[in-house]
Structure formats: C-alpha cells, structure tokens
Amino acid sequence: MTGARLKHYGWGREGEGMSAEERNFVLGRYRQKFARDAFDNITVPRLEDLSLRAPRITPPASLAAFCSSERYDRAAHTYGKSYPDYLRAMLGDYDCAPDVVAYPRSEAEISAVMDWAGSVGASLTPFGGGSSVCGGVEPHVDGIKYKAAVTLDLRNLEKVVEVDATSRAALIEAGSFGPALESQLKPHGFTLRHFPQSFEYSTLGGWIATRSGGHFATLYTHIDDFVESLRVVTPRGVVETRRLPGSGAGPSPDRMFIGSEGILGVISRAWMRLQSRPKFRAGASVRFRSFFAAARAVRAIAQAGLYPSNCRILDPQEAFNTGAADGSVAIMVLAFESGDHPLDAWMARALECCADHGGTPEPANAGDAHLEGAAGIWRNAFIRMPYAREFLNPAGIINDTFETAITWDRFESFHDAVKMATERAILDATGVKGEVTCRFTHAYPDGPAPYFSFHALGRHGALLEQWQAIKSAASDALIAAGGTITHHHAVGRDHRPWYDRQRPELFATALRAAKRELDPHGLLNPGVLIDPS
C-alpha cells in the first residue's frame, strides 16, 4: 500500500477519519435516538501507551529480513474490525498480539514461515487486510498446543502478473489491495468490479478466503463468481487448480478453498474473470410507502432477469439514519451499468416493476442519478460509516450489524421475528429501548440478503457482555427462523456457535478430514470454521 500506514485502532489509514460535520451528524442522530445531550466518553490508548508482552519466539536469520516484532506491526495485526475487536483494543487489551508478523515476498517464503511456525509450536494466522468483522484474524495461543502466534501479511504480493485480454481474465497476486488491483487493470480497459465496503483496506486473497460480497447486488454477488483458478500454499505443498471457464469434473477444488477462511492454506494468486469498464450507466432513487412494498418490488426485478448492479432498499429508519430520507418512506437505490450497451430499456422495465408496488422515482437531474439525491447520500454514508466506530465505541454506544439470507416466501415473517428478538434483547441487556433497522444488500430470484443494524446505549464496564447478549439473541433468531448466520461477512470465531448449528455434521467431519490432510499440525487459523481433531 502507498501513503500513510493503516491505523492500529480504527478504520483506514492514519490521519483519516470523519470530518467535524460528519461526526456532528452521526452523534446528532444518537442524541435524538437516546434523548441525550452528551455521552460518557473514555480515552483510547495511544500506540506508544500500549503494553505488549515480549515476543515469545524470534524468527531465524533466514526469515528475519521480512519479519517484524515491532510495536506497530504487532498491534496493527492483533485485531480485525468486529465490535469486540474494537472494544478490546479501546481498553488497551493486546494480550493476543502476535509475537511475529511475517511479510513474505514469494510462495517460497510463505512455505518457509509455515515450516518455522510448525517447528516452534506457533499458530499461523493469514491476515488479508485485517478488515474481518467476525473475529477472523485474531491470533490464537493456548499455551499448550500453540505456544506463540505468527501472523502472515501478504501485502508484498501485490501485482497483476498477467492479463489475458482474449479470455478477459487476469492472474493477480493475493496480497493486492482493491485500489492497487484496479489501477493495474485500468490501462487494459478492464475491472474486477468487486467493491465490498472494505474495498480500500482489504485484499484479493482475503476476499476469496471469506467469500466476500461485492458491488453487484444481483448476478455477480460474491467473489466466487470471478474466480477462474487458484494457487494455494498449504503446509503439505502447493495446490494449483486448472484454469477453465467451467468444469463438471467432480467437486470443484476451487470451491474447497473459496470461503475456507485460511484454515486449509494460504491463497497466493488467482486467475480472476474480469469485466469491461462500464461505459453506460443508469440510476434512480425510488420511494415506497413501506419496506415490505419495496421488498416486493425487489423480488419482481430479481425474478424478471434484469440483473441491476444495485438494487438495495433501506427501511424508513435506515434511510433517516443515513440522511437519505425523512423517516416516512423506504428507499430503493437502483442502478444498471454496462461496458457494452445503453440501459434505458432495463431501467424502464425495472421502474415499471417498482410502480406495480407503489414505487415513485425521485426527480433526476442531468447528472449521474446513482451519485445524486437519496442514492448519492446513502452511497456516501455507506462508505464513510465505518469511521464512526472510532468515536461511537468510546462514547458507550453499541452500533453493529449482522446480515443473512432467506427465501422470499419466508422473508416478511423472518424480518419481523429477527427484528423483534433483537429489540427485546437490547432492552433486556441495557435497560434502554434501542433500535433495529434493515436494508437489502443483495437480491436473488429466490430470496434477498437482509442486512440489519442495531443501536443501543451501553454502559462502560459492561459493553462486551451487553453486545454479546444482543448478538446471541439476534443470531439465535436467524437460525431458528431458517436463515443463514452470514451471507457475506464470513464465520470467524464470532459466528462459530451458530455456524456449527447450521452446517450438516457429516460435512463438518469431511472438512476436518481435509484440514487434517492439508494442515496436519493444525497451525492455520485455529478455531475458525472447525476445531481440528
């Protein structure tokens, strides 16, 4: 990465953050929500004030050139971006900091780190960009099986190695951050067109390992859709899959590693399917009298096979919280894009679907509709919101999200059951009425991916327990009502108890067998997805 280094606490790079105007807007919403003029703030420790235990291991001379045990490297690789991660960092708890952070420059160096970690009894955690929101990158040490912790950061593997313009694909190293990846593809007229919220601060390898959800609300929803082949370094050797547009030859080896969250191996590079850079765009913001009316319009659009790039809806309170509306209407953010053809017919048909369910488009100016009005306001809030955690957590405000997926026939009852259970848990945990809002991030012909946000007034000294009670109640409700514990945030450690309930037990047995074969000493990201035997 170029420019300032990433923060050890907070979102983005050092020196970045919300403006005073943005902070006042966000805090103003919470003052109104909780009828408070001020909040009980605590001070987050500075990097130089952190107390880190001495490293328990030292890399051998052959690895020393690309390994570090410096304070910043260890602190910045201790946590991801989940609420518990932020909270423990805010309280100065860095007991789980890695002893060593390795920045390999080749597959050979990845293998060398694996061999060394196994020889000294250390766990090995692939870090990606560290943007995990589910406890997926915290180093693990138990003092018995794992006597130390090493974190693996692939940022030195950041090149687009080859572009196949004929097949419209590229071979890309896994440590490539989103902006660097796109800047290397741009001269060729291509784009990966995968833009998760963490785009600036996450890597290709991390996207693949966690089955990241990206920019497209329909059709190309997950990174899976773009993977053509993989190269993965495991403790037993390198696995390289054949580069093909498709294959019916047994279970897909790519699929075994896509979503494996670093427990089977470390993705070093991948051939990725590309898109032509968009030349045509059409966008609109549509108002609906209710969230369920907007959801029915999304279903009509998804089942019409129109495949908009954006088809997200915000319930009235979510729209108000982001400044996209006044709280009386639900909002649909609708957009199409193409590198090949105009989109007027697609947009016209989508708006007809909206009108069938009472949707009314906002007046559009001559500019880009997807960057204006409610759509533009929401887009900016979506990109900027992660910075708010840096001042909301120290104020004792519990602000978090969870996402899922459900079939259309069950959506409305599912939404009400999950929202009610979460609201009840907030009141039980904090004694103060909170708020739960919902939006859609992705949509399929057979169902949506609802994304819930919850807001609670917590109490310093009890924030982690209060958050856990709310999170557990919400997760229990998701599973009980037939949804998935995660649509695109991954499993990590935070979602493990519910993932264990969701997956078939025989599949877990098969996954353990694969883990045992590829990582016989169980050193890779222990505790994520499964507990190795």
Side-chain angles (χ1 to χ4, degrees):
M1 295 184 69
T2 58
R5 64 188 183 182
L6 293 177
K7 298 171 184 173
H8 79 282
Y9 171 83
W11 187 256
R13 298 181 181 86
E14 293 177 339
E16 295 177 338
M18 282 191 163
S19 66
E21 182 181 3
E22 289 172 322
R23 288 171 62 100
N24 288 336
F25 174 84
V26 172
L27 287 171
R29 287 291 194 259
Y30 281 104
R31 292 187 188 104
Q32 181 179 348
K33 215 179 296 293
F34 297 121
R36 290 286 187 98
D37 292 328
F39 298 97
D40 182 17
N41 281 278
I42 65 173
T43 301
V44 178
R46 300 173 302 172
L47 177 64
E48 56 267 32
D49 296 330
L50 298 180
S51 176
L52 301 180
R53 67 157 57 102
R56 289 161 289 205
I57 53 175
T58 302
S62 59
L63 307 183
F66 60 90
C67 291
S68 173
S69 294
E70 295 298 318
R71 174 183 293 267
Y72 166 78
D73 295 291
R74 295 176 65 200
H77 290 83
T78 301
Y79 294 120
K81 307 301 180 186
S82 71
Y83 183 84
D85 288 344
Y86 270 104
L87 190 61
R88 286 179 291 174
M90 180 182 79
L91 297 175
D93 177 6
Y94 281 80
D95 284 350
C96 62
D99 298 278
V100 175
V101 180
Y103 300 93
R105 300 157 297 188
S106 65
E107 284 185 352
E109 290 183 345
I110 295 173
S111 294
V113 172
M114 286 182 178
D115 291 343
W116 169 63
S119 71
V120 297
S123 64
L124 184 61
T125 305
F127 190 73
S131 62
S132 168
V133 292
C134 56
V137 297
E138 178 185 328
H140 184 77
V141 174
D142 60 11
I144 303 172
K145 181 175 177 60
Y146 308 102
K147 300 176 177 60
V150 177
T151 290
L152 200 64
D153 187 319
L154 299 192
R155 66 181 59 197
N156 289 322
L157 298 172
E158 58 178 355
K159 296 182 181 64
V160 173
V161 179
E162 183 181 347
V163 174
D164 173 0
T166 303
S167 306
R168 211 170 65 174
L171 177 60
I172 307 171
E173 292 182 322
S176 301
F177 282 80
L181 183 159
E182 287 293 334
S183 68
Q184 292 178 76
L185 292 176
K186 187 174 183 179
H188 300 275
F190 295 125
T191 173
L192 182 58
R193 209 67 185 138
H194 183 78
F195 297 127
Q197 189 179 32
S198 62
F199 169 74
E200 289 186 77
Y201 313 115
S202 52
T203 66
L204 175 67
W207 299 344
I208 296 171
T210 60
R211 295 190 67 199
S212 165
H215 164 77
F216 286 102
T218 66
L219 191 60
Y220 302 118
T221 58
H222 280 80
I223 196 68
D224 314 32
D225 302 311
F226 300 110
V227 175
E228 193 175 65
S229 72
L230 291 176
R231 191 169 166 91
V232 185
V233 181
T234 81
R236 287 288 302 274
V238 174
V239 175
E240 184 170 15
T241 66
R242 183 165 294 197
R243 188 183 162 214
L244 295 166
S247 172
S252 166
D254 291 320
R255 291 278 173 167
M256 185 169 76
F257 294 103
I258 299 171
S260 62
E261 301 192 29
I263 71 165
L264 302 178
V266 175
I267 297 162
S268 61
R269 53 175 56 185
W271 273 98
M272 304 297 294
R273 300 180 179 99
L274 305 178
Q275 307 290 312
S276 297
R277 297 185 70 80
K279 298 176 183 176
F280 302 92
R281 288 187 173 89
S285 301
V286 187
R287 293 171 173 251
F288 291 84
R289 66 186 182 278
S290 74
F291 187 56
F292 286 169
R296 292 171 195 136
V298 172
R299 176 166 64 89
I301 293 169
Q303 293 179 347
L306 297 171
Y307 302 122
S309 58
N310 203 348
C311 192
R312 289 168 168 83
I313 56 173
L314 322 174
D315 73 15
Q317 192 61 45
E318 177 83 9
F320 174 76
N321 287 347
T322 58
D326 61 6
S328 65
V329 293
I331 295 289
M332 176 188 289
V333 181
L334 180 64
F336 291 85
E337 59 188 43
S338 172
D340 178 72
H341 52 265
L343 299 155
D344 297 345
W346 282 260
M347 177 58 76
R349 177 62 190 129
L351 290 176
E352 287 177 353
C353 293
C354 291
D356 290 343
H357 297 277
T360 304
E362 286 188 338
N365 296 324
D368 291 331
H370 71 293
L371 299 177
E372 297 176 344
I377 292 170
W378 175 82
R379 179 180 179 274
N380 184 66
F382 173 75
I383 293 170
R384 301 291 291 167
M385 193 52 67
Y387 291 101
R389 276 265 182 91
E390 298 171 27
F391 57 86
L392 292 180
N393 293 350
I397 295 170
I398 303 173
N399 162 228
D400 203 7
T401 65
F402 57 93
E403 34 71 68
T404 184
I406 193 72
T407 52
W408 286 116
D409 62 311
R410 294 177 288 172
F411 164 65
E412 293 186 13
S413 60
F414 175 86
H415 167 274
D416 289 347
V418 171
K419 185 174 180 180
M420 185 181 303
T422 310
E423 289 173 339
R424 186 185 307 118
I426 292 172
L427 184 59
D428 291 345
T430 68
V432 179
K433 183 181 178 181
E435 182 180 272
V436 181
T437 65
C438 187
R439 67 178 188 263
F440 285 1
T441 59
H442 302 79
Y444 305 90
D446 53 340
Y451 190 109
F452 294 86
S453 298
F454 62 88
H455 311 270
L457 183 60
R459 186 178 72 257
H460 286 299
L463 290 175
L464 187 57
E465 292 78 9
Q466 291 174 324
W467 172 86
Q468 188 63 68
I470 300 165
K471 176 73 171 179
S472 295
S475 300
D476 286 344
L478 290 181
I479 296 299
T484 175
I485 189 57
T486 178
H487 171 263
H488 60 269
H489 280 176
V491 176
R493 295 182 181 84
D494 293 352
H495 292 150
R496 261 298 303 279
W498 298 276
Y499 175 67
D500 287 354
R501 289 160 58 182
Q502 177 178 332
R503 71 177 177 216
E505 185 51 39
L506 275 177
F507 174 77
T509 301
L511 188 57
R512 289 188 194 99
K515 169 78 168 174
R516 192 163 53 246
E517 184 64 29
L518 295 171
D519 180 20
H521 299 296
L523 63 96
L524 288 169
N525 220 6
V528 172
L529 293 182
I530 56 170
D531 294 317
S533 56

